[in-house]
Amino acid sequence: AERTYIMVKPDGVERGLVGEIIKRFESRGFKLAALKFVQADKELLSKHYADLATKPFFPGLLDYMTSGPVVGMVWEGKEVVKTGRKMLGATNPLDSAPGTIRGDYCIDVGKNLCHGSDSVESADKEISLWFPEGVVGWERKLDAQIYE
Ligand code: GTP
Ligand code: MG
């Protein structure tokens, strides 16, 4: 099944929104495959955000993302990459629809609470980066109630 890397950023941890963000993916029916609470360093985050290295906001992004611990997770399910991005909302929270995580809980792009992989290829890379030990493959009986 398809997998995506979802991360609660330091502001989401600080604001006590870890449970809320997990809850939305759980309630939707996606299956948890890995979960980690970690203080990331700039080396790891430079790899994670390698495609943004030339952006003017990049140093600030590294400061933001290392300002506290993050919760990294892998969620699995049908079209979870695209659907996960929809659930997070637009990059700039002021453009995020109400009902999305960013649209319900934040305002500024530099404090936008959460990350979601933007493609299946990015997801594969990000999952190997954050979970080099691998993820949990398990059979969920509930799948029979979620997928036709
Ligand atoms: P992620 O899920 O975090 O990867 O966000 P995204 O895919 O919606 O956006 P993108 O990958 O382009 O940017 C990564 C992160 O960099 C964003 O989520 C923001 O936190 C930050 N960012 C992007 N653009 C800006 C910007 O113009 N200003 C600032 N301060 N931060 C930005
Ligand atoms: Mg991105």
Side-chain angles (χ1 to χ4, degrees), residues 1-2 5 20 29 55 69 73 81 84 87 112 115 121-122 137 139 141 145:
E2 188 170 299
Y5 178 67
E20 174 63 30
K55 301 283 186 188
M73 32 194 164
V81 171
M87 290 166 67
N112 64 356
H115 160 82
E121 296 69 41
S122 303
E139 247 181 70
K141 291 167 197 78
Q145 307 305 327

PDB file of all heavy atoms in Angstrom, residues 1-2 5 20 29 55 69 73 81 84 87 112 115 121-122 137 139 141 145:
ATOM      1  N   ALA A   1       0.840  -1.212   0.000  1.00  0.00           N
ATOM      2  CA  ALA A   1       0.000   0.000   0.000  1.00  0.00           C
ATOM      3  C   ALA A   1       0.869   1.253   0.000  1.00  0.00           C
ATOM      4  O   ALA A   1       2.027   1.209   0.402  1.00  0.00           O
ATOM      5  CB  ALA A   1      -0.907   0.011   1.228  1.00  0.00           C
ATOM      6  N   GLU A   2       0.297   2.337  -0.458  1.00  0.00           N
ATOM      7  CA  GLU A   2       1.027   3.607  -0.508  1.00  0.00           C
ATOM      8  C   GLU A   2       1.311   4.120   0.904  1.00  0.00           C
ATOM      9  O   GLU A   2       0.503   3.949   1.811  1.00  0.00           O
ATOM     10  CB  GLU A   2       0.176   4.615  -1.288  1.00  0.00           C
ATOM     11  CG  GLU A   2       0.882   5.932  -1.580  1.00  0.00           C
ATOM     12  CD  GLU A   2       0.076   6.781  -2.555  1.00  0.00           C
ATOM     13  OE1 GLU A   2      -0.154   6.337  -3.707  1.00  0.00           O
ATOM     14  OE2 GLU A   2      -0.341   7.884  -2.172  1.00  0.00           O
ATOM     15  N   TYR A   5       5.002  10.284   4.591  1.00  0.00           N
ATOM     16  CA  TYR A   5       5.642  10.757   5.810  1.00  0.00           C
ATOM     17  C   TYR A   5       4.941  12.029   6.276  1.00  0.00           C
ATOM     18  O   TYR A   5       4.911  13.036   5.558  1.00  0.00           O
ATOM     19  CB  TYR A   5       7.137  11.033   5.577  1.00  0.00           C
ATOM     20  CG  TYR A   5       7.817  11.563   6.806  1.00  0.00           C
ATOM     21  CD1 TYR A   5       7.969  10.762   7.931  1.00  0.00           C
ATOM     22  CD2 TYR A   5       8.285  12.878   6.870  1.00  0.00           C
ATOM     23  CE1 TYR A   5       8.567  11.247   9.088  1.00  0.00           C
ATOM     24  CE2 TYR A   5       8.889  13.364   8.023  1.00  0.00           C
ATOM     25  CZ  TYR A   5       9.025  12.549   9.121  1.00  0.00           C
ATOM     26  OH  TYR A   5       9.604  13.032  10.266  1.00  0.00           O
ATOM     27  N   GLU A  20      -4.336  15.661  18.157  1.00  0.00           N
ATOM     28  CA  GLU A  20      -5.333  16.113  17.178  1.00  0.00           C
ATOM     29  C   GLU A  20      -4.936  15.698  15.759  1.00  0.00           C
ATOM     30  O   GLU A  20      -5.766  15.245  14.968  1.00  0.00           O
ATOM     31  CB  GLU A  20      -5.469  17.638  17.283  1.00  0.00           C
ATOM     32  CG  GLU A  20      -6.355  18.282  16.232  1.00  0.00           C
ATOM     33  CD  GLU A  20      -7.816  17.837  16.306  1.00  0.00           C
ATOM     34  OE1 GLU A  20      -8.302  17.522  17.406  1.00  0.00           O
ATOM     35  OE2 GLU A  20      -8.461  17.808  15.236  1.00  0.00           O
ATOM     36  N   GLY A  29      -9.130   6.639   8.581  1.00  0.00           N
ATOM     37  CA  GLY A  29      -9.018   5.223   8.220  1.00  0.00           C
ATOM     38  C   GLY A  29      -7.626   4.818   7.778  1.00  0.00           C
ATOM     39  O   GLY A  29      -7.391   3.657   7.441  1.00  0.00           O
ATOM     40  N   LYS A  55      16.487  28.681  -1.109  1.00  0.00           N
ATOM     41  CA  LYS A  55      15.445  29.673  -0.793  1.00  0.00           C
ATOM     42  C   LYS A  55      15.926  30.622   0.310  1.00  0.00           C
ATOM     43  O   LYS A  55      16.645  30.204   1.222  1.00  0.00           O
ATOM     44  CB  LYS A  55      14.167  28.971  -0.297  1.00  0.00           C
ATOM     45  CG  LYS A  55      13.577  28.003  -1.289  1.00  0.00           C
ATOM     46  CD  LYS A  55      12.822  28.706  -2.385  1.00  0.00           C
ATOM     47  CE  LYS A  55      12.125  27.686  -3.272  1.00  0.00           C
ATOM     48  NZ  LYS A  55      11.527  28.302  -4.457  1.00  0.00           N
ATOM     49  N   PRO A  69      11.384  19.426  19.631  1.00  0.00           N
ATOM     50  CA  PRO A  69      11.172  18.098  19.047  1.00  0.00           C
ATOM     51  C   PRO A  69      10.009  18.070  18.051  1.00  0.00           C
ATOM     52  O   PRO A  69       9.125  18.919  18.089  1.00  0.00           O
ATOM     53  CB  PRO A  69      10.862  17.218  20.263  1.00  0.00           C
ATOM     54  CG  PRO A  69      10.464  18.144  21.348  1.00  0.00           C
ATOM     55  CD  PRO A  69      11.103  19.467  21.076  1.00  0.00           C
ATOM     56  N   MET A  73       5.872  10.474  11.531  1.00  0.00           N
ATOM     57  CA  MET A  73       5.064   9.253  11.400  1.00  0.00           C
ATOM     58  C   MET A  73       4.908   8.833   9.955  1.00  0.00           C
ATOM     59  O   MET A  73       5.044   9.635   9.041  1.00  0.00           O
ATOM     60  CB  MET A  73       3.688   9.397  12.048  1.00  0.00           C
ATOM     61  CG  MET A  73       3.136  10.745  12.012  1.00  0.00           C
ATOM     62  SD  MET A  73       1.734  10.969  13.100  1.00  0.00           S
ATOM     63  CE  MET A  73       1.751  12.757  13.075  1.00  0.00           C
ATOM     64  N   VAL A  81      -0.732   9.810   0.020  1.00  0.00           N
ATOM     65  CA  VAL A  81       0.149  10.968  -0.186  1.00  0.00           C
ATOM     66  C   VAL A  81      -0.690  12.196  -0.535  1.00  0.00           C
ATOM     67  O   VAL A  81      -0.631  13.233   0.136  1.00  0.00           O
ATOM     68  CB  VAL A  81       1.204  10.691  -1.285  1.00  0.00           C
ATOM     69  CG1 VAL A  81       1.955  11.967  -1.648  1.00  0.00           C
ATOM     70  CG2 VAL A  81       2.183   9.607  -0.834  1.00  0.00           C
ATOM     71  N   GLY A  84      -3.266  12.998   2.242  1.00  0.00           N
ATOM     72  CA  GLY A  84      -2.596  13.584   3.412  1.00  0.00           C
ATOM     73  C   GLY A  84      -2.345  15.068   3.197  1.00  0.00           C
ATOM     74  O   GLY A  84      -2.592  15.878   4.093  1.00  0.00           O
ATOM     75  N   MET A  87      -5.475  16.936   3.646  1.00  0.00           N
ATOM     76  CA  MET A  87      -5.855  17.025   5.060  1.00  0.00           C
ATOM     77  C   MET A  87      -5.030  18.097   5.787  1.00  0.00           C
ATOM     78  O   MET A  87      -5.529  18.748   6.692  1.00  0.00           O
ATOM     79  CB  MET A  87      -5.693  15.669   5.745  1.00  0.00           C
ATOM     80  CG  MET A  87      -6.731  14.643   5.280  1.00  0.00           C
ATOM     81  SD  MET A  87      -6.313  12.965   5.762  1.00  0.00           S
ATOM     82  CE  MET A  87      -6.487  13.069   7.547  1.00  0.00           C
ATOM     83  N   ASN A 112       3.578  26.565  10.361  1.00  0.00           N
ATOM     84  CA  ASN A 112       2.405  25.916   9.764  1.00  0.00           C
ATOM     85  C   ASN A 112       2.167  24.472  10.235  1.00  0.00           C
ATOM     86  O   ASN A 112       1.544  23.672   9.539  1.00  0.00           O
ATOM     87  CB  ASN A 112       2.415  26.049   8.238  1.00  0.00           C
ATOM     88  CG  ASN A 112       3.576  25.334   7.579  1.00  0.00           C
ATOM     89  OD1 ASN A 112       4.430  24.792   8.272  1.00  0.00           O
ATOM     90  ND2 ASN A 112       3.599  25.306   6.260  1.00  0.00           N
ATOM     91  N   HIS A 115       3.964  18.723   8.356  1.00  0.00           N
ATOM     92  CA  HIS A 115       4.566  18.427   7.053  1.00  0.00           C
ATOM     93  C   HIS A 115       3.906  17.182   6.466  1.00  0.00           C
ATOM     94  O   HIS A 115       3.575  16.255   7.198  1.00  0.00           O
ATOM     95  CB  HIS A 115       6.062  18.158   7.213  1.00  0.00           C
ATOM     96  CG  HIS A 115       6.639  17.407   6.049  1.00  0.00           C
ATOM     97  ND1 HIS A 115       7.017  18.032   4.883  1.00  0.00           N
ATOM     98  CD2 HIS A 115       6.839  16.087   5.841  1.00  0.00           C
ATOM     99  CE1 HIS A 115       7.444  17.122   4.023  1.00  0.00           C
ATOM    100  NE2 HIS A 115       7.349  15.921   4.578  1.00  0.00           N
ATOM    101  N   GLU A 121       7.443   9.501  -4.526  1.00  0.00           N
ATOM    102  CA  GLU A 121       8.916   9.447  -4.551  1.00  0.00           C
ATOM    103  C   GLU A 121       9.489  10.178  -3.340  1.00  0.00           C
ATOM    104  O   GLU A 121      10.409   9.674  -2.678  1.00  0.00           O
ATOM    105  CB  GLU A 121       9.468  10.088  -5.837  1.00  0.00           C
ATOM    106  CG  GLU A 121       9.087   9.365  -7.125  1.00  0.00           C
ATOM    107  CD  GLU A 121       7.596   9.469  -7.492  1.00  0.00           C
ATOM    108  OE1 GLU A 121       7.009  10.573  -7.328  1.00  0.00           O
ATOM    109  OE2 GLU A 121       7.005   8.456  -7.909  1.00  0.00           O
ATOM    110  N   SER A 122       8.969  11.381  -3.039  1.00  0.00           N
ATOM    111  CA  SER A 122       9.430  12.114  -1.849  1.00  0.00           C
ATOM    112  C   SER A 122       9.140  11.307  -0.599  1.00  0.00           C
ATOM    113  O   SER A 122       9.952  11.267   0.333  1.00  0.00           O
ATOM    114  CB  SER A 122       8.722  13.464  -1.708  1.00  0.00           C
ATOM    115  OG  SER A 122       8.892  14.248  -2.843  1.00  0.00           O
ATOM    116  N   GLY A 137       5.229  -3.411   9.360  1.00  0.00           N
ATOM    117  CA  GLY A 137       4.227  -3.976   8.460  1.00  0.00           C
ATOM    118  C   GLY A 137       3.270  -4.824   9.300  1.00  0.00           C
ATOM    119  O   GLY A 137       3.703  -5.753   9.961  1.00  0.00           O
ATOM    120  N   GLU A 139      -0.977  -6.417   9.738  1.00  0.00           N
ATOM    121  CA  GLU A 139      -2.275  -6.626   9.123  1.00  0.00           C
ATOM    122  C   GLU A 139      -3.346  -6.078  10.043  1.00  0.00           C
ATOM    123  O   GLU A 139      -3.396  -6.425  11.219  1.00  0.00           O
ATOM    124  CB  GLU A 139      -2.504  -8.119   8.904  1.00  0.00           C
ATOM    125  CG  GLU A 139      -2.540  -8.463   7.429  1.00  0.00           C
ATOM    126  CD  GLU A 139      -2.784  -9.929   7.204  1.00  0.00           C
ATOM    127  OE1 GLU A 139      -3.915 -10.382   7.474  1.00  0.00           O
ATOM    128  OE2 GLU A 139      -1.817 -10.611   6.790  1.00  0.00           O
ATOM    129  N   LYS A 141      -7.212  -5.818  10.885  1.00  0.00           N
ATOM    130  CA  LYS A 141      -8.489  -6.469  10.558  1.00  0.00           C
ATOM    131  C   LYS A 141      -9.538  -5.450  10.136  1.00  0.00           C
ATOM    132  O   LYS A 141     -10.399  -5.717   9.307  1.00  0.00           O
ATOM    133  CB  LYS A 141      -8.972  -7.290  11.753  1.00  0.00           C
ATOM    134  CG  LYS A 141      -8.100  -8.496  12.002  1.00  0.00           C
ATOM    135  CD  LYS A 141      -8.355  -9.141  13.360  1.00  0.00           C
ATOM    136  CE  LYS A 141      -7.212 -10.051  13.729  1.00  0.00           C
ATOM    137  NZ  LYS A 141      -6.032  -9.297  14.227  1.00  0.00           N
ATOM    138  N   GLN A 145     -13.442  -3.092   6.948  1.00  0.00           N
ATOM    139  CA  GLN A 145     -14.539  -2.138   7.159  1.00  0.00           C
ATOM    140  C   GLN A 145     -14.268  -0.790   6.483  1.00  0.00           C
ATOM    141  O   GLN A 145     -15.133   0.077   6.452  1.00  0.00           O
ATOM    142  CB  GLN A 145     -14.764  -1.894   8.672  1.00  0.00           C
ATOM    143  CG  GLN A 145     -14.965  -3.154   9.488  1.00  0.00           C
ATOM    144  CD  GLN A 145     -16.108  -4.010   8.957  1.00  0.00           C
ATOM    145  OE1 GLN A 145     -17.096  -3.494   8.437  1.00  0.00           O
ATOM    146  NE2 GLN A 145     -15.961  -5.326   9.072  1.00  0.00           N
TER     147      GLN A 145
END
